[in-house]
DNA sequence: GAAGGTATGGTCTCAATGAGACCGTGTCAA
DNA sequence: TTGACACGGTCTCATTGAGACCATACCTTC
């Protein structure tokens, strides 16, 4: 029942929340907030708004002088389409593409030492993201408005996600042969 | 430094592990084992092997009668390319595309009740995957060969991942306004 | 006040992937 | 003997990926 691709709703949603914008500004906001759960290339953010304007969901206001910026406003049709999408709880499955998991899956075909190097890199990477999300959460004003809460919720999931992955890769690095089974024990509490 | 796309290495890896195969068999194995961390459309699995044969990494053996199957064998060059890829610990970032997180992010622009319906669906979905991975793990022979361990490791990550997400969405469903902060408390231990 | 760096703002192209329609062959059971 | 179903594959069109390329404005520093 989704009428448009998710990236289209990202554009509608950001304009609905922050007001009329140029593709350039969309790009910055996507990079800041949305990249972690829906990556969009910058070129897409120049392709999509004109297309949505064509469909009547946005209205373009073009500068003809200087930087010739293209500013896109939300129309009532756009707002309605966004509301319909938000009201539909039936979403497609999430997709993950993780080359590191791929390498781990095929690790038995390579040298046993590869796995340790891989796991160390991955653990460091996930720890970095974890620290990043944690600090963003700390900076977040404990404001009671619903926008802050939206952001806070997603940051919380980011923290849970990165923590789980960081701990996983650390356990692989520590015990590449995986002779015991750390999954049944609670995280962060190594057995005595 | 990756010479080929990850999907190419999936093909090489599966043939390296299980021996020469048809695209049809590749399709089945990808669906069973690889889909969760690297989705590949079935059409891709008919496009990629001929291309890798062109590059000398596979060798095609075509039936000319009956079902006219195309069986692809790994060459020494293919085995070497796979080993080089596995030995490189420097992998691209993982990418996630989760429409549900997108809807949650923009939830403040919709009706407050949407969020509960969304969260309930997501919680159920992740619980289902969690049960699936858990049962696959239980069925896994505790064999000491490295192939079984590869599979077991990934299933463990799957379990951790689905558990984190299931608990997250359950907490959203239970408390959509998110007035408290469940992240600092250990999972599965609701406060008194 | 000219030179260069950087942020702003955007267009374009080619390749690759996504999404799925469509088409045959063999096997087995009713 | 025909229909269902698993097997095995090809094809096409639209969308996205990846990144090169271009121009304007501002800001510093020599």
């Amino acid at each position: 029942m989704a009428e448009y691709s998710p990236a289209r709703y990202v554009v509608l949603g950001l304009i609905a929340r922050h007001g009329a914008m140029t593709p350039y500004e969309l790009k910055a906001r996507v990079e800041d907030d949305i990249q972690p759960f829906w990556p969009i290339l910058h070129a897409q953010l120049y392709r999509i708004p004109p297309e949505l304007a064509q469909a009547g969901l946005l209205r373009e206001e073009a500068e003809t002088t200087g930087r010739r910026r293209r500013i896109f406003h939300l129309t009532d049709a756009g707002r309605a389409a966004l509301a319909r999408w938000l009201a539909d709880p039936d979403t497609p499955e999430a997709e993950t593409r993780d080359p590191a998991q791929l390498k781990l899956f095929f690790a038995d075909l390579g040298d046993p030492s590869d796995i340790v190097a891989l796991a160390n890199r991955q653990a460091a990477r996930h720890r970095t993201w974890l620290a990043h999300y944690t600090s963003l959460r700390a900076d977040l004003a404990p404001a009671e408005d619903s926008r802050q809460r939206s952001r806070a919720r997603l940051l919380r999931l980011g923290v849970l996600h990165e923590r789980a992955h960081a701990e996983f890769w650390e356990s692989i690095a520590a015990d590449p042969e995986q002779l015991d089974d750390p999954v049944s024990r609670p995280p962060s509490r190594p057995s005595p």
Side-chain angles (χ1 to χ4, degrees), chain A:
Chain A
M1 106 126 247
E3 299 161 275
Y4 303 97
S5 72
R8 311 266 174 319
Y9 292 107
V10 168
V11 170
L12 294 176
L14 286 175
I15 295 179
R17 178 174 289 163
H18 301 286
M21 276 189 241
T22 67
Y24 188 78
E25 197 177 345
L26 283 169
K27 185 184 101 185
R29 296 205 177 269
V30 166
E31 275 163 13
D32 287 350
D33 295 346
I34 300 195
Q35 208 68 2
F37 45 91
W38 201 277
I40 307 179
L41 291 176
H42 90 277
Q44 280 299 79
L45 297 173
Y46 287 88
R47 283 190 260 221
I48 290 172
E51 181 202 312
L52 291 178
Q54 200 67 27
L57 307 192
L58 295 179
R59 179 171 49 78
E60 177 174 358
E61 170 194 355
E63 288 181 354
T64 50
T65 70
R67 291 198 166 163
R68 305 193 301 110
R69 288 180 301 180
R70 314 177 65 178
I71 304 170
F72 291 88
H73 300 253
L74 195 63
T75 65
D76 289 344
R79 197 174 306 274
L82 179 60
R84 273 198 305 281
W85 179 70
L86 285 171
D88 177 14
D90 195 12
T91 72
E93 286 273 354
E95 285 192 7
T96 297
R97 277 153 207 272
D98 187 351
Q101 287 184 58
L102 227 39
K103 286 192 185 180
L104 186 61
F105 182 75
F106 288 119
D108 59 285
L109 302 171
D111 190 277
S113 70
D114 296 344
I115 205 174
V116 179
L118 176 70
N120 280 319
R121 299 264 191 134
Q122 287 304 117
R125 177 174 278 175
H126 287 289
R127 279 287 167 205
T128 301
W129 281 111
L130 178 56
H132 181 230
Y133 292 146
T134 303
S135 104
L136 286 178
R137 284 188 97 214
D139 294 351
L140 211 59
E144 276 313 308
D145 66 294
S146 59
R147 280 155 202 216
Q148 294 299 326
R149 276 207 298 276
S150 266
R151 223 165 134 37
R153 278 189 289 247
L154 267 301
L155 282 175
R156 185 158 73 84
L157 180 54
V159 166
L160 291 171
H161 177 91
E162 296 302 333
R163 184 179 291 162
H165 283 253
E167 286 174 358
F168 172 76
W169 286 107
E170 278 160 8
S171 85
I172 299 289
D175 179 15
E177 296 306 319
Q178 211 66 51
L179 296 176
D180 68 345
D181 181 355
V183 84
S184 12
R185 289 184 277 112
S188 307
R189 284 181 191 78
S191 57

